[in-house]
């Protein structure tokens, strides 16, 4: 043991000398010089050792130093094993990390189900039913409001009388001049037409004649039917006389000059106009309305083409009964 330590010490001394020589040569090389340090003094390269122990060390110190050398020689092997173990640890950690990342990735992905879940379907169904129920109630409420408003209008007081009717001066089918005053004291139904009318005027006058007979039967009210021509050029006194006889014996036919007919038509808000003429054959487009006038020759109500005999009869009786109360 002492011999080995001694050998190591001698080697260290040689190495120190070589190290000193190299340092000196490097120092000299930095300074220009013609002389160089010979390398023959340097011993062969030796492995790296810890710091040199002084030459006069005791054997006890040398023993400690030997143990230190043995530990230092074993250190590189351990250091080499440590990287391998650390590399293994790193690889294991990398694998663990990758596995954890894979597991976390697999756990992070949501489980994909169908396009519509039962919960969303039920919510959608409930929303649709609610919307239908809401709009159904809204529609019913709107209909009720319209119905109530219409009832209020029907039952409310009259805002005034319509500006229908007025004075006129015409000639009846007997050639006698008459005015609106000749019809006062009587209930009258006035209809505007012309004797050459192909179908509408005859139908309306037949309905008028049947209604006044039924009114007499049901309510005992005498109604005077009046026919006013809107075709004064062709409806002469004789033409009107022959025409009114075909419908009812009480039917009064009136005609006049074009200006007089225009004036009375304007007073009763009646529209009339000739159509295309072919020689003397033409038609007259006009309003299809019957006017119920009271005994003062003031307007009460009008009845259109949509009223049949029964509705016309009941309507006239109703209006007259309300006025007599």
């Amino acid at each position: 043991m002492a011999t080995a330590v001694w050998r190591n010490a001698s080697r260290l001394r040689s190495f120190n000398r070589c190290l000193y020589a190299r340092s000196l040569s490097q120092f000299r090389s930095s300074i220009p010089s013609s002389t160089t340090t010979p390398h023959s003094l340097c011993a062969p390269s030796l492995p790296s050792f810890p710091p040199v122990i002084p030459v006069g060390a005791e054997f006890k110190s040398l023993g400690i130093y030997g143990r230190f050398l043995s530990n230092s020689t074993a250190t590189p092997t351990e250091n080499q094993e440590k990287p391998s173990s650390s590399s293994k640890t790193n690889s294991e950690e990398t694998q663990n990390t990758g596995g954890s990342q894979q597991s976390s990735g697999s756990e992070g992905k949501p489980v994909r189900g169908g396009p519509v879940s039962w919960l969303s379907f039920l919510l959608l169904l409930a929303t649709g039913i609610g919307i239908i129920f809401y709009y159904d109630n809204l529609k019913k409420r709107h209909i009720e409001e319209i119905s109530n408003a219409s009832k209020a209008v029907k039952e409310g007081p009259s805002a005034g009388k319509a500006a229908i009717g007025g004075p006129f001066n015409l000639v009846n089918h007997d050639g006698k001049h008459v005015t609106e005053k000749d019809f006062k004291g009587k209930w009258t139904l006035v209809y505007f037409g012309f004797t050459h009318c192909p179908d509408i005027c005859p139908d309306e006058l037949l309905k008028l004649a049947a209604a006044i007979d039924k009114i007499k039967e049901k309510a005992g009210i005498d109604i005077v039917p009046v026919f006013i021509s809107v075709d004064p050029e062709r409806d002469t006194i004789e033409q009107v006389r022959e025409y009114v006889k075909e419908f009812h014996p009480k039917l009064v036919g009136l005609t006049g000059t074009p200006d007089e007919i225009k004036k009375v038509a304007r007073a009763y808000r009646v529209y009339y106009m000739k159509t295309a003429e072919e020689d003397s054959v033409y038609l007259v487009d006009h309003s299809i309305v019957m006017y119920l006038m009271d005994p003062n020759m003031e307007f009460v109500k009008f009845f259109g083409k949509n009223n049949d005999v029964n509705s016309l009869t009941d309507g006239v009786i109703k209006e007259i009964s309300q006025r007599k109360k």
Side-chain angles (χ1 to χ4, degrees):
M1 180 69 184
T3 304
V5 172
W6 181 259
R7 291 178 180 176
N8 288 333
S10 62
R11 289 180 180 178
L12 287 173
R13 286 194 296 272
S14 299
F15 176 74
N16 289 333
R17 287 197 300 270
C18 181
L19 183 62
Y20 174 77
R22 286 185 179 180
S23 300
L24 184 60
S25 62
Q26 290 177 359
F27 177 76
R28 289 178 178 178
S29 62
S30 61
I31 301 173
S33 177
S34 60
T35 59
T36 58
T37 304
H39 295 281
S40 59
L41 296 176
C42 297
S45 62
L46 295 176
S48 168
F49 291 100
V52 180
I53 297 175
V55 177
E58 297 180 354
F59 287 99
K60 186 176 180 180
S61 301
L62 291 175
I64 296 172
Y65 186 71
R67 288 195 299 272
F68 175 76
L69 288 176
S70 63
N71 293 331
S72 63
T73 54
T75 302
T77 305
E78 292 176 359
N79 293 334
Q80 291 176 358
E81 291 177 357
K82 286 182 180 179
S84 62
S85 62
S86 63
S87 62
K88 289 180 181 180
T89 305
N90 293 333
S91 63
E92 291 176 356
E93 290 177 355
T94 304
Q95 292 177 357
N96 294 333
T97 305
S100 63
Q101 290 178 355
Q102 292 177 357
S103 62
S104 63
S106 61
E107 290 175 358
K109 293 181 179 179
V111 179
R112 188 173 183 182
V116 179
S117 65
W118 282 107
L119 180 59
S120 60
F121 175 74
L122 292 175
L123 290 175
L124 181 63
L125 182 63
T127 304
I129 293 173
I131 292 173
I132 293 173
F133 182 75
Y134 171 75
Y135 280 105
D136 186 59
N137 288 339
L138 188 64
K139 182 179 178 181
K140 290 180 180 179
R141 194 184 310 160
H142 184 63
I143 293 173
E144 289 178 358
E145 290 177 356
I146 293 175
S147 178
N148 294 333
S150 62
K151 288 180 180 178
V153 171
K154 290 179 181 178
E155 296 174 359
S158 176
K161 293 182 179 180
I164 296 176
F168 59 83
N169 189 358
L170 300 172
V171 180
N172 64 10
H173 61 272
D174 292 329
K176 181 182 178 181
H177 288 274
V178 296
T179 64
E180 77 284 353
K181 295 178 181 179
D182 295 319
F183 296 95
K184 286 188 175 181
K186 306 170 185 177
W187 289 89
T188 58
L189 272 172
V190 182
Y191 177 78
F192 288 78
F194 63 106
T195 61
H196 291 80
C197 182
D199 48 8
I200 295 177
C201 290
D203 292 341
E204 291 298 302
L205 290 175
L206 286 172
K207 181 172 68 177
L208 174 60
I212 61 174
D213 289 339
K214 292 189 71 173
I215 293 170
K216 178 65 175 179
E217 293 175 3
K218 293 179 68 173
I221 302 172
D222 290 325
I223 304 294
V224 178
V226 179
F227 169 78
I228 299 177
S229 173
V230 291
D231 186 13
E233 289 84 359
R234 293 183 298 183
D235 289 344
T236 61
I237 298 174
E238 294 78 10
Q239 180 70 25
V240 173
R241 183 187 306 118
E242 298 298 326
Y243 186 73
V244 296
K245 288 180 181 180
E246 297 178 2
F247 299 101
H248 199 278
K250 292 184 177 180
L251 181 60
V252 179
L254 300 178
T255 187
T257 63
D259 291 338
E260 292 172 344
I261 297 298
K262 184 183 296 184
K263 182 179 179 181
V264 67
R266 185 178 300 170
Y268 281 80
R269 304 294 189 267
V270 173
Y271 160 81
Y272 72 98
M273 184 180 67
K274 291 182 180 180
T275 60
E277 297 185 14
E278 293 181 3
D279 297 333
S280 60
V281 179
Y282 62 88
L283 297 177
V284 179
D285 187 17
H286 62 89
S287 303
I288 307 172
V289 179
M290 295 181 190
Y291 297 96
L292 177 62
M293 310 298 289
D294 67 8
N296 295 321
M297 284 301 288
E298 294 181 354
F299 171 76
V300 177
K301 189 175 181 178
F302 70 88
F303 300 90
K305 188 176 182 296
N306 57 331
N307 293 104
D308 57 7
V309 176
N310 293 327
S311 62
L312 177 59
T313 300
D314 295 338
V316 171
I317 293 174
K318 180 181 176 181
E319 294 297 329
I320 295 175
S321 299
Q322 289 178 353
R323 295 298 190 283
K324 287 185 177 181
K325 288 181 180 179

